[in-house]
């Protein structure tokens, strides 16, 4: 039984900021609602960063306006917090506005298990640390889900963990550490514990990407209002993900993409260490091994 999911990422409702066209967000959300209702998905996923943060009072109002925009969507909607949803607001603020828990959660849809990995998305700014923090509880939750799933697994999150390159990205080419979690390699190792196929879909990085690591396909979806790839116009990115024996992902708008693949549970041979630190290679160079 196939599963159909409509996806929106990085809405960034609010004043325009750098290349984010937040002034167009609510208009585009009305279009997304029509798109989702026409597609008749099993559910809708909001990958986070619903607003461009300013201050607590403004952010509360912006979040409420986005929540109202989602009311035009007929299908159930699952929300994930992004970093901008957390700059001035607590998780509980977002939960109250959206009317749902924003804790990590799983549920089954058709032949797939869906993991809403709502790991902490707040960017911390202290003298000791600037950036995301991957809390051990969130990592352990992901590990347990991967170990125990008896179905193909879709992991949905705001922050990607693939470690893919950021060359050409307006925000992250020169700030790659802000594009993912520290210790993201541990999250990838947790996912690799699954004996079932695993697919990951995230937002945050404001472009469409496809990366395969250790047999696991990682996708990131373009922001609804991003413009750095679209000549200053908002991308208007609406995603549709269909899960079955084959996975199909399409993103409409000014920055479209379409990709289909067959997920599998095969894992790759572990990478070599640095050649200069490999005892066997060093022994060969010394002539100790033939």
């Amino acid at each position: 039984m196939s599963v159909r999911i409509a996806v929106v990422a990085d809405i960034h409702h609010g004043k325009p900021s750098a290349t984010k066209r937040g002034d167009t967000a609510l208009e585009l959300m009305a279009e997304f609602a029509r798109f989702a209702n026409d597609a008749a998905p099993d559910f809708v996923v909001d990958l986070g960063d619903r607003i461009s943060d300013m201050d607590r009072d403004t952010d509360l109002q912006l979040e409420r306006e986005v929540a109202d925009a989602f009311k035009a969507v007929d299908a159930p909607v699952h929300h994930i917090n992004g970093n901008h949803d957390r700059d001035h607001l607590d998780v509980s603020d977002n939960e109250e506005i959206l009317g749902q828990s924003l804790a990590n959660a799983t549920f089954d849809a058709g032949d797939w298990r869906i993991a809403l990995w709502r790991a902490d998305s707040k960017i911390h700014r202290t003298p000791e640390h600037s950036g995301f923090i991957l809390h051990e509880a969130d990592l352990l939750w992901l590990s347990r889900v991967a170990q125990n799933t008896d179905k193909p697994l879709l992991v949905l999150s705001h922050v990607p963990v693939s470690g893919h390159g950021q060359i050409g990205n307006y925000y992250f080419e020169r700030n790659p550490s802000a594009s993912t979690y520290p210790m993201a390699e541990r999250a990838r190792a947790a996912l690799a514990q699954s004996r079932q196929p695993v697919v990951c879909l995230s937002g945050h990085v404001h472009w469409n990407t496809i990366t395969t690591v250790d047999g696991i396909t990682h996708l990131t979806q373009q922001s609804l209002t991003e413009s750095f790839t679209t000549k200053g116009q908002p991308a208007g990115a609406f995603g549709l993900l269909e899960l079955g024996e084959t996975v199909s992902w399409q993103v409409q708008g000014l920055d479209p993409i379409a990709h289909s693949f067959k997920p599998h549970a095969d894992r790759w041979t572990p990478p070599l260490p640095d050649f200069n630190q490999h005892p066997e290679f060093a022994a060969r160079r010394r002539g100790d091994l033939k």
Side-chain angles (χ1 to χ4, degrees):
M1 178 180 175
S2 63
V3 181
R4 176 176 284 196
I5 309 166
V7 184
V8 65
D10 298 272
I11 298 164
H12 282 291
H13 174 41
K15 291 182 178 180
S17 174
T19 62
K20 298 187 283 285
R21 288 292 309 278
D23 56 311
T24 66
L26 293 184
E27 177 184 349
L28 288 170
M29 278 300 298
E31 293 183 26
F32 174 73
R34 289 190 287 270
F35 163 81
N37 292 341
D38 288 345
D42 295 282
F43 59 92
V44 171
V45 172
D46 152 34
L47 291 173
D49 272 0
R50 288 174 290 279
I51 65 170
S52 289
D53 65 278
M54 291 189 64
D55 55 65
R56 178 173 173 79
D57 289 343
T58 303
D59 291 2
L60 286 168
Q61 181 61 32
L62 293 172
E63 289 279 0
R64 291 187 186 105
E65 290 170 355
V66 176
D68 285 343
F70 273 108
K71 291 178 181 177
V73 175
D74 295 334
V77 181
H78 299 283
H79 298 280
I80 296 171
N81 281 334
N83 48 289
H84 288 271
D85 307 314
R86 291 281 287 110
D87 267 317
H88 304 292
L89 303 180
D90 295 331
V91 172
S92 59
D93 294 320
N94 285 274
E95 289 178 328
E96 181 179 356
I97 291 168
L98 298 170
Q100 63 181 248
S101 170
L102 294 175
N104 296 325
T106 63
F107 61 92
D108 289 349
D111 296 328
W112 283 71
R113 181 151 299 150
I114 312 300
L116 299 168
W117 190 42
R118 296 174 169 128
D120 183 23
S121 60
K122 185 177 179 66
I123 292 181
H124 299 264
R125 299 176 178 90
T126 68
E128 295 77 23
H129 178 81
S130 178
F132 294 111
I133 293 176
L134 180 54
H135 292 281
E136 197 67 15
D138 288 324
L139 182 65
L140 291 174
W141 184 91
L142 184 65
S143 175
R144 299 295 183 263
V145 168
Q147 289 178 53
N148 292 320
T149 187
D150 56 359
K151 296 183 175 184
L153 180 64
L154 172 67
V155 178
L156 299 163
S157 66
H158 179 66
V159 181
V161 298
S162 65
H164 67 278
Q166 299 296 324
I167 301 301
N169 189 291
Y170 174 81
Y171 290 97
F172 300 117
E173 176 171 334
R174 294 177 178 84
N175 304 284
S177 64
S179 70
T180 189
Y181 288 112
M183 302 190 298
E185 72 281 359
R186 292 187 66 207
R188 294 193 296 271
L191 294 169
Q193 293 177 298
S194 175
R195 297 184 180 181
Q196 299 288 334
V198 178
V199 177
C200 298
L201 175 62
S202 306
H204 183 59
V205 289
H206 289 212
W207 59 0
N208 298 316
T209 67
I210 304 161
T211 307
T212 303
V213 181
D214 202 6
I216 294 172
T217 300
H218 298 254
L219 311 171
T220 66
Q221 182 166 308
Q222 175 62 284
S223 158
L224 181 70
T225 56
E226 183 53 68
S227 69
F228 84 80
T229 67
T230 50
K231 301 179 181 178
Q233 296 301 309
F238 307 155
L240 192 63
L241 184 67
E242 297 191 70
L243 307 175
E245 289 189 5
T246 298
V247 173
S248 296
W249 177 53
Q250 297 182 43
V251 180
Q252 300 183 13
L254 297 182
D255 189 8
I257 195 170
H259 180 58
S260 295
F261 59 98
K262 188 170 183 177
H264 56 78
D266 298 337
R267 302 291 174 252
W268 295 351
T269 303
L272 282 167
D274 183 316
F275 293 153
N276 293 322
Q277 297 178 6
H278 194 297
E280 179 184 349
F281 292 178
R284 285 181 175 170
R285 288 194 297 272
R286 294 193 304 269
D288 297 340
L289 291 178
K290 302 299 183 182

